[in-house]
């Protein structure tokens, strides 16, 4: 399967454009001060000269707010009091330029939505209709730590194609038949020769080795849940936290959601929205009791879930892809790398 | 019961009914011209012809007078019937081609032009007029002649005496043929509505005015045809409640009473006596009372301001003041009527508001007397903001311009020239006078009158008449406005109450309250009662449909519609239904909760239900009354309102009312005349009083006063009062004492008194604030620089000391409004004019050769104080007016006080020397913020306390249990202070006498889990009901004291955290209503 | 403002040692450039963690709400004004507090700095008096601090604490220009429709993370209206109307209480200028009630009190 | 006033929000105000700003 194609940067731009007739194409675009994923079809100009998008591409598969069902309370309506699935769009889509950390994140999340026992039909359908075209990181940020959590700047996990930025051109490594199919629909490019492939491999090696931060998570597996839970440092960790949802909403691996009914007159929608363990309503019981009622408990929940519970439950690493978004954007500078270190060294 | 078929549908009627009646009931329309439900049918117009099938054959009968029978079949709208009717209409149209109702019918039946020869008549000979006339018992008209000559006429075709001009014939005539003027010898005019000053007519059966109590119609025996002829009685037939009884007789009732209070009021002066004003001739000259009706939204023009003569909107209106007041030439009313200046100003401002900017309003006056609380400010605004013109001139006569109905008003302008102005409307500000029959009554009762024919009273007992046990209040005591009348009413009640206090509560009946059922946990069972309100609601809204709709709503267990849900019998059946059906929530869809909620709640309580499980849907005021033209929409809206009410009522929970004991002790703050009078009045009613005075002795400002305007020696009377207070066992006097702190609330106050550093706590149920006011120390006119410049009180002190130097004075000058009616103190001090004149007269008594001048802006000797003004002028005291812009100037010249003033009469400056200058210094309040805060009562911008309601609650505060009297309320003379003190007591006693009070269940409550402790509620509550909890699990969170809470909801609106809610108006309840809207 | 660090450490040590306070609240140097971490210490031995520079823009008053112990806290002008509001609104009592006042020369807008280096990653930040240096992988630049102040700091009239127990230095001058509200006025001059577009676009990026609310010291309700469900005042999805409703109500709850400390805007991960809402209110409150929040302990915010002369021209 | 200003600042059409103080005795004023508000609002047409119909979500 492994094949390589090479594109000059201009070629690549028109190749991406050509995908439009087959996919909804999401590309990184510059939006004010930062980059975000945008739809090519909405006239957005792709910009592959970026570090990472400010928001993760998680919402492309898993929208922040999603109408699940619709219903009518009007007795005259023959379908009254029945939940009807809202119309959905599962047409093929491609995320072009996704960073390896974010692609890894989808894999980490998948264990939750796509299990042998339960399958979230909407997440899975969108995931499966998506082709992931990754772009390796030539210059990871100081806050990136993908290598510490099982990924890497050129990690191929979860990708269908991986692009190497070789200065004036992109080298595309085809990883799956899905990826192959995508490149076939893209125009231009040519077979790459071995020199370029070697150039790419050495770039990948050099960058990976130069990754600055090493976040220790190796000891977590063997720690006792209870001891970690009762560790003395949580209060200090949580002190500065203002309980906003920035970390969880920017995180590519946070998946919690909340279901709300919105009724207008006699028609209603059942909508699911991202939830955040930082919020007071998170796990609030009908009785009014909340097992995670205070700030410290909420902050602890976030880190324990990511770094311990997930690990214990799925044995697929931690629920973190090392993208560093939460580190960069936390208004109170709560740093998961420091917390991981605290937990790891307890 | 007879069953027959109407248009194929089975219908029922009573034996003896005619087809038309039954059809009407079933909503089947049959046209008719000659039918009236109060009259026996005549079958005269034939228009109601219908087809009848009797089992064998078909025939045509008139529905109005064909009795129904079992098994008949009637068809009202067949082709045959229509054809027959069309012919009738065509014939009628030929006879009366111009009568609108016939033309409409013709159109309905598709007739453009009659085929027959056209006539020019407008009578269709239906005979309604003659039948109704007969019914009225008159027979003044009948059908006369034969065949084509048949017509309605009077006997011998002459105007008759038989006709009483009742107008019944006119009212029933469908075509407008009948002209009452041609029939009767009497002058034809509507029965004048007393309430609308005759500007509008009324019926012989009428409710005097919309807010009348009791709000039941009465029959005017003088105009009712039954009482005049013994016939008619149509009303008996129409009243579905069967309430009319013509046989009722006046009863003479003999009552044994301990006291009598006279409150017969006044009659407005009748300006018809003034020929020069032409009131009787010109309809565009109206009295102020008539104008009041023209301005009123409930008046004959619905508040639309028009001239009575032609209905045109006036552009210029003049008010002429002092008509029937301050006048001994054309009438015998030497007094000032006290109220006319203010009402004229008010009418002018309202007229301008109604008419928009175009209207010119001019008030012609002699002295502008706006001496009441906040009146001067209103006067200033009228002049400066609204542009009302004020012209100081007495109007000698008013002339009418014949062609236009305009009015010419001549007056003397400021340049002393006679000029004339044109107006569209002139309002005569008529004065108040005692009616002749009241004078008779006084004579009968042996009560003495004053020279102005008002009731004679004593300044220290302003409502006691000359006869023990008989008291007076209102305009019979002297001309006065509403606040003062209300004060006196309270005062008279206090005096009477003191006489009767031993018998208090001996005649009270207590009601047994049934045990309240605990319906918590029960399934919701809502009862919905839809009221027809006679035809008030049912005339527009389809009440049955609303009722049936209500039955379809969730949780509704029982529905009913009532003719009058508020009637006594309905209340009884309501109680029964609640019990029988075990209802636990009630919705009444009727009128406004404002008038009727309490009644239905009482009924619920009688049925053992918590009265807060109740909701009213106002389908009358908010529905049938406003959507009369659209019954369908009104019915839909009624359903909406009912649905919302049901949604809310299901969420309501029983609420508790707190009951609290009322401490039977009173606190009076202030030991002046008002405070002492209040203390004495409370004691006289049997209550213990704690009287607090900050000075070393009792007496207050009265200690500084020499004589009453009526001449009584104040100091003697004051001494008597002080002795009485000190000797009163019920009164504990605390001198040199101030208030440190006030805790608690109505019925249970705890006040800390501080006397020379020592603290004492007294508990009391009510408090009377009588802290008075003081005389301004002027900063002008050389006051304080020259010893010859003195204030009123200083001059009174000289009188009391009988200083001989006063006799040697050659010239004394008084300057009025020193510190009053100035921009920084824009109120009138009310007493100074009278005081100056009284002092001036006393100076004249001391030395008749003394020159005495009074420099004034308006002389405000209101009421019978006016006599004093007249006396002063007769005594040679000279009055010179000045304006705020041209105040007198005082300087020192050659050892004498030199006073410069512009004399507008002479149009030049006058300079006079004087040995004594008396300044009418303003009365200024203490503006006691601390006291105001302690009792949670407000001060106005001038620093006087603000009463609960300027007119209806002048002696109490909005804060329960705290009362107000004396000059702390506003400057006033002794008699008015005494009256207000007694009034405050009488208000207080209504509370004390109950001994226990219940608070409302509709109070705010705090959800401590949501409370963020921010304290906004504590800050915004005007009643200090919320506080922060000091202990317990929710320490630091807010809580509401239900006893203090008035349920206003301001805390709820202010609470950012959503922790506050008003019981009975919770978020879920209100959102439920919105959701069901 | 770096030089305050030593003084803060010294004072914190003294207060904790002498037992004047139980805890001391300040900042720790952040793990990311231009981001400091709020810090609470109990041990006089750990005062070395305390740090101060021109990146301490999250309002520390937030951390006082509901505390029961005695607290030492560093406070700039705006933080002190929020402390005043906190005291007035019963969130903390004056006697619990030892306020270490910081005459503040303003906080740096990290966003503006990043913009100035063209979005390149900044790895190091160094403050040098009136200047500061930023270093990236392959660049180094020195900037004037005054050119990079947060927009609220640039027009701050009260840089000095209004309430303190000890001051760290000489008072510094506040902004004296009369165009504090120029940005609001600019919006006011737009047409109604343009303003609608302006604000709709502005909040279109909002991800409803509530960082603006959570960073605001005024938002201390136990249950925020967005979290209430009976009734649910505002929907939780990212529907634009719900988002607008949230911003509108959040701002309105701050009416007459906001000190324009800028914490909300700084906290917003999407860089939305949320102060556009509160600043309009601040401007109106000043015009209608002559009021600026948090200047004295004697008076409550204008919406908490009724005065006879309150503006009522809008009532018909 | 603050609320009205803020709402209009962020784009609510002037005339959409009215305040009045009408006592229960002022029936005529109520009618007047109601009619006026009605008229102004009718001229403005149906409200769109800040009115949520169906949630605009994925």
């Amino acid at each position: 399967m492994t094949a390589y194609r090479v594109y000059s940067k201009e070629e690549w731009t028109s190749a991406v454009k050509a995908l439009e007739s087959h996919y909804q194409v999401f590309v990184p675009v510059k939006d004010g001060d930062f980059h975000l994923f945008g739809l090519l079809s909405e006239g957005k100009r792709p910009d592959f000269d970026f570090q990472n998008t400010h928001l993760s591409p998680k919402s492309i598969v898993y929208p922040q707010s999603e109408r699940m069902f619709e219903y009518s309370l009007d007795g005259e309506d023959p379908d009254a009091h029945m939940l009807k699935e809202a119309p959905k769009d599962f047409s093929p889509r491609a995320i072009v330029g996704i960073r390896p950390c974010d692609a890894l994140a989808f894999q980490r999340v998948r264990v939750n939505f796509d299990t042998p026992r339960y399958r979230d039909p909407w997440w899975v359908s969108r995931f499966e209709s998506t082709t992931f075209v990754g772009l390796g990181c030539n210059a990871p940020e100081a806050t990136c730590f993908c290598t510490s959590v099982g990924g890497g700047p050129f990690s191929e996990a979860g990708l269908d194609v991986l692009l190497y930025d070789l200065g004036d051109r992109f080298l595309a490594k085809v990883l799956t038949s899905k990826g192959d199919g995508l490149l076939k629909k893209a125009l231009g490019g040519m077979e790459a020769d071995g020199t370029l492939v070697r150039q790419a491999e050495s770039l990948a090696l050099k960058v990976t080795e130069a990754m600055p931060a090493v976040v220790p998570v190796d000891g977590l597996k063997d720690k006792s849940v209870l001891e970690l839970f009762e560790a003395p440092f949580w209060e200090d960790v949580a002190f500065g936290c203002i309980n906003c949802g920035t970390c969880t909403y920017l995180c590519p691996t946070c998946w919690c959601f909340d279901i709300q009914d919105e009724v207008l007159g006699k028609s209603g929608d059942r909508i699911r929205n991202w939830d955040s363990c930082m919020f007071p309503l998170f796990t609030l019981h009908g009785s009014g009791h909340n097992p995670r009622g205070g700030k410290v408990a909420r902050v602890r929940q976030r880190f324990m879930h990511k770094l311990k519970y997930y690990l214990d439950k799925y044995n697929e690493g931690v629920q973190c892809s090392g993208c560093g978004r939460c580190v960069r954007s936390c208004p109170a500078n709560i740093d998961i790398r420091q917390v991981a270190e605290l937990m790891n060294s307890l | 019961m007879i069953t027959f078929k109407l248009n194929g549908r089975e219908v029922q009627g009573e034996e003896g009914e005619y087809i038309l009646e039954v059809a009407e009931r079933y909503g089947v329309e049959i046209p008719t011209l000659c039918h009236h439900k109060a009259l026996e049918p005549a079958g005269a117009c034939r228009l109601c012809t219908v087809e009848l099938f009797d089992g064998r054959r078909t025939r045509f009968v008139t529905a109005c007078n064909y009795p129904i029978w079992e098994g008949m079949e009637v068809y009202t709208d067949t082709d045959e019937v229509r054809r027959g009717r069309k012919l009738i209409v065509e014939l009628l149209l030929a006879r009366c081609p111009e009568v609108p109702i016939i033309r409409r019918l013709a159109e309905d039946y598709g007739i453009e032009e009659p085929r027959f020869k056209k006539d020019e008549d407008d009578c269709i000979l239906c005979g309604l007029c003659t039948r109704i006339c007969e019914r009225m018992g008159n027979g003044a008209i009948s059908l006369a002649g034969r065949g084509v000559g048949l017509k309605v006429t009077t006997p011998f075709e002459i105007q008759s005496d038989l006709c009483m001009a009742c107008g019944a014939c006119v009212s029933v005539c469908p075509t407008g043929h009948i002209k009452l003027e041609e029939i009767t010898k009497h002058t034809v005019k509507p029965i004048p509505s007393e309430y609308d000053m005759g500007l509008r007519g009324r019926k012989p059966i009428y409710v005097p005015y919309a807010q009348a109590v009791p709000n039941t119609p009465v029959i005017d025996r003088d105009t009712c045809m039954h009482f005049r002829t013994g016939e008619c009685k149509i009303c008996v037939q129409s009243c579905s409640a069967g309430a009319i009884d013509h046989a009722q007789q006046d009863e003479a009732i003999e009552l044994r009473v301990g006291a009598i209070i006279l409150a017969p009021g006044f009659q407005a002066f009748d300006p018809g006596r003034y020929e020069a004003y032409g009131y009787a001739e010109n309809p565009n000259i109206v009295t102020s009372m008539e104008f009041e009706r023209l301005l009123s939204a409930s008046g004959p023009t619905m508040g639309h301001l028009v001239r009575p003569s032609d209905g045109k909107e006036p552009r210029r209106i003049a008010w002429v003041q002092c008509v029937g007041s301050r006048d001994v030439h054309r009438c015998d009313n030497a007094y000032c009527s006290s109220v006319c200046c203010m009402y004229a100003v008010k009418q002018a401002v309202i007229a301008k508001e109604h008419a928009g900017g175009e209207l010119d309003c001019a008030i012609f006056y002699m002295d502008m007397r706006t001496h009441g609380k906040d009146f001067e400010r209103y006067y200033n605004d009228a002049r400066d903001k609204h542009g009302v013109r004020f012209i100081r001139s007495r109007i000698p006569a008013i002339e009418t311009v014949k062609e236009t109905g305009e009015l010419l008003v001549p007056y003397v302008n400021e340049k002393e020239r006679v000029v004339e102005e044109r107006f569209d409307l002139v309002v005569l500000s008529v004065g108040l006078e005692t009616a002749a029959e009241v004078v008779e009554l006084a004579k009968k009762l042996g009560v003495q009158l004053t020279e102005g024919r008002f009731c004679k009273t004593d300044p220290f007992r302003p409502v006691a008449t000359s006869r023990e046990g008989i008291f007076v209040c209102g305009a019979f005591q002297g001309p006065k406005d509403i606040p003062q009348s209300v004060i006196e009413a309270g005062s008279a009640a206090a005096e009477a109450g003191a006489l009767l206090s031993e018998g208090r509560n001996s005649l009270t009946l207590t009601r047994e309250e049934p045990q309240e059922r605990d319906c918590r946990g029960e399934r919701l069972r809502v009862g919905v009662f839809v009221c027809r309100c006679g035809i008030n609601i049912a005339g527009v809204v389809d009440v049955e449909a609303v009722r049936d709709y209500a039955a379809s709503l969730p949780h509704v267990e029982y529905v009913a519609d009532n003719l009058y849900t508020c009637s006594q019998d309905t209340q009884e059946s309501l109680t029964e239904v609640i019990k029988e059906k075990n209802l636990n929530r009630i919705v009444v869809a009727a009128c406004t909760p404002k008038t009727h909620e309490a009644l239905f709640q009482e009924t619920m309580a009688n049925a053992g239900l918590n009265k807060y499980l109740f909701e009213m849907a106002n389908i009358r005021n908010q529905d049938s009354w406003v959507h009369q033209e659209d019954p369908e929409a009104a019915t839909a809206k009624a359903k909406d309102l009912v649905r919302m009410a049901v949604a809310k009522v299901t969420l309501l929970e029983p609420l508790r009312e707190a009951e609290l004991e009322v401490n039977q002790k009173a606190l009076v703050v202030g030991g002046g005349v008002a405070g002492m009078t209040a203390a004495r009045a409370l004691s006289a009613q049997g209550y213990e009083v704690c009287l607090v005075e900050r000075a070393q002795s009792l007496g207050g400002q009265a200690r500084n006063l020499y004589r009453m305007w009526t001449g009584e020696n104040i100091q003697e009377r004051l001494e008597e009062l002080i002795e009485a207070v000190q000797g009163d066992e019920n009164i504990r006097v605390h001198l040199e004492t101030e208030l440190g702190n006030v805790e608690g609330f109505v019925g249970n106050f705890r006040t800390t008194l501080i006397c020379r550093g020592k603290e004492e706590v007294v508990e009391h149920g009510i408090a009377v604030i009588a802290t008075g006011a003081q005389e301004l120390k002027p900063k002008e006119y050389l006051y304080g620089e020259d010893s010859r410049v003195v204030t009123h009180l200083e001059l009174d002190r000289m009188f009391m000391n009988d200083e001989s130097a006063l006799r040697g004075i050659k010239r004394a000058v008084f300057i009025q409004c020193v510190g009053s009616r100035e921009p920084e103190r824009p109120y009138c001090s009310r007493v100074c004019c009278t005081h100056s004149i009284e002092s001036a007269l006393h100076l004249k008594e001391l030395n008749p050769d003394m020159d005495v001048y009074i420099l004034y802006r308006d002389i405000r000797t209101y009421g019978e104080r006016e006599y004093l003004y007249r006396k002063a002028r007769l005594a040679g005291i000279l009055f010179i007016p000045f304006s705020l812009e041209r105040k007198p100037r005082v300087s020192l010249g050659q050892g004498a006080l030199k006073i410069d003033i512009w004399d507008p009469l002479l149009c030049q400056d006058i300079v006079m020397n004087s040995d004594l200058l008396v300044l009418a210094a303003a009365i200024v309040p203490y503006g006691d913020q601390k006291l105001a805060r302690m009792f949670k009562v407000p001060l106005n911008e001038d620093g006087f306390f603000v009463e609960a309601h300027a007119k209806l609650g002048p002696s109490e505060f909005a804060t329960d249990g705290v009362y107000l009297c004396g000059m702390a309320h506003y400057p006033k003379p002794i008699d008015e202070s005494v009256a207000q003190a007694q009034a405050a007591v009488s208000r207080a006693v209504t509370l004390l006498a109950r001994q226990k009070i219940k608070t409302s269940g509709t109070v705010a409550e705090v959800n401590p889990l949501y409370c963020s402790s921010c304290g906004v509620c504590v800050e915004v509550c005007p009643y200090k009901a919320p506080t922060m909890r000091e202990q317990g699990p929710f320490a630091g969170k807010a809580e509401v004291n239900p006893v203090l809470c008035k349920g206003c909801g301001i805390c709820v609106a202010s609470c950012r955290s959503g922790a506050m809610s008003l019981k009975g108006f919770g978020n879920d309840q209100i959102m439920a209503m919105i959701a069901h809207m | 403002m770096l030089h305050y660090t030593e003084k803060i450490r010294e004072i914190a040590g003294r207060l904790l040692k002498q037992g004047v306070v139980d805890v001391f609240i300040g900042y720790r140097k952040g793990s990311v450039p231009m981001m400091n971490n709020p810090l609470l210490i109990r041990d006089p031995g750990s005062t070395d963690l305390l740090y101060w520079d021109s990146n301490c823009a999250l309002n520390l008053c937030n951390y006082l709400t509901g505390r029961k112990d005695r607290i030492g806290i560093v406070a700039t002008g705006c933080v002190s004004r929020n402390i005043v509001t906190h005291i007035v609104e019963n969130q903390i009592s004056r006697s619990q507090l030892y306020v270490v006042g910081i005459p503040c020369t303003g906080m740096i807008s990290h966003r503006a700095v990043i913009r100035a280096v063209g979005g390149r990653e900044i790895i190091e930040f160094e403050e040098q008096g009136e200047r500061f240096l930023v270093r990236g992988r392959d660049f180094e630049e020195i900037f004037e601090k005054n050119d990079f102040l947060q927009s609220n700091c640039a027009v701050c009239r009260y840089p000095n604490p209004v309430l303190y127990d000890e001051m760290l230095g000489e008072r510094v001058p506040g902004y004296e220009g009369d165009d504090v509200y120029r940005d609001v006025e600019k919006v006011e001059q737009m047409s109604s429709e343009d303003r609608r577009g302006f604000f709709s676009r502005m909040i279109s990026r909002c991800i409803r993370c509530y960082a603006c609310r959570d960073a605001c010291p005024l938002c201390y309700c136990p249950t925020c209206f967005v979290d209430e469900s009976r009734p649910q005042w505002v929907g939780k999805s990212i529907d634009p109307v719900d988002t607008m409703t949230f911003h509108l109500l959040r701002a309105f709850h701050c009416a007459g209480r906001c000190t324009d400390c800028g914490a909300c805007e700084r906290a917003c991960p999407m860089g939305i200028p949320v102060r556009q809402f509160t600043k309009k209110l601040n401007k109106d409150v000043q015009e209608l009630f002559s009021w600026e929040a948090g200047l004295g302990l004697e008076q409550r915010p204008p919406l908490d009190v009724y005065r006879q002369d309150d503006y009522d021209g809008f009532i018909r | 006033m603050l609320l009205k200003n803020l709402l209009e600042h962020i784009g609510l059409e002037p005339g959409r929000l009215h305040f009045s103080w009408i006592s229960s005795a002022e029936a005529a004023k109520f009618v007047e105000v109601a009619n006026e508000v009605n008229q102004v609002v009718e001229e403005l047409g149906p409200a769109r700003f800040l009115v949520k119909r169906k949630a605009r979500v994925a």
Side-chain angles (χ1 to χ4, degrees), chain B residues 983-1050:
Chain B
V985 166
S986 119
R987 298 299 303 140
V989 169
T990 58
L991 182 86
L992 291 169
R994 270 191 281 162
Q995 296 178 353
K996 273 181 190 167
I997 48 175
K998 269 194 173 178
T999 61
S1000 168
T1002 309
V1003 292
E1005 65 179 339
V1006 182
N1007 176 349
L1009 293 174
Y1010 274 43
C1011 174
S1012 59
S1013 311
C1014 72
V1016 174
C1017 49
V1018 177
E1019 192 61 35
V1020 297
C1021 178
Y1023 310 102
K1024 304 226 163 136
T1027 48
M1028 291 301 177
R1029 288 175 207 239
E1030 279 171 11
Q1031 50 206 8
F1034 293 117
K1037 304 289 186 188
E1039 66 180 337
V1040 173
N1041 182 342
V1043 174
L1044 290 181
C1045 180
K1046 296 268 179 291
C1048 72
I1050 191 167

Side-chain angles (χ1 to χ4, degrees), chain B residues 503-522:
Chain B
R504 178 176 303 130
N505 290 340
S506 58
L507 290 174
T508 326
L509 299 173
T510 43
R511 204 167 56 89
E512 286 275 320
E513 289 215 13
Q515 179 72 30
E516 187 178 303
R517 194 177 99 212
D518 183 358
C519 58
R520 284 174 302 179
E522 284 182 11

Side-chain angles (χ1 to χ4, degrees), chain B residues 86 176 270 511 633 783 885:
Chain B
K86 186 175 173 180
D270 174 11
R511 204 167 56 89
Y783 180 79
E885 293 75 37

Side-chain angles (χ1 to χ4, degrees), chain B residues 297 594, chain D residues 24 28:
Chain B
K594 208 172 166 175
Chain D
S24 59

Side-chain angles (χ1 to χ4, degrees), chain B residues 495-551:
Chain B
E495 286 269 23
L499 286 181
L500 308 174
S501 66
E502 271 174 38
R504 178 176 303 130
N505 290 340
S506 58
L507 290 174
T508 326
L509 299 173
T510 43
R511 204 167 56 89
E512 286 275 320
E513 289 215 13
Q515 179 72 30
E516 187 178 303
R517 194 177 99 212
D518 183 358
C519 58
R520 284 174 302 179
E522 284 182 11
R523 182 169 68 78
L524 287 169
R525 282 186 289 270
V526 181
V528 181
F529 300 88
V530 187
C531 185
R532 310 179 75 89
C533 197
I535 56 159
N536 261 313
I537 294 170
V540 178
V541 171
D542 183 347
V543 168
E544 289 91 351
V546 175
R547 177 200 63 200
D548 296 343
Y549 174 76

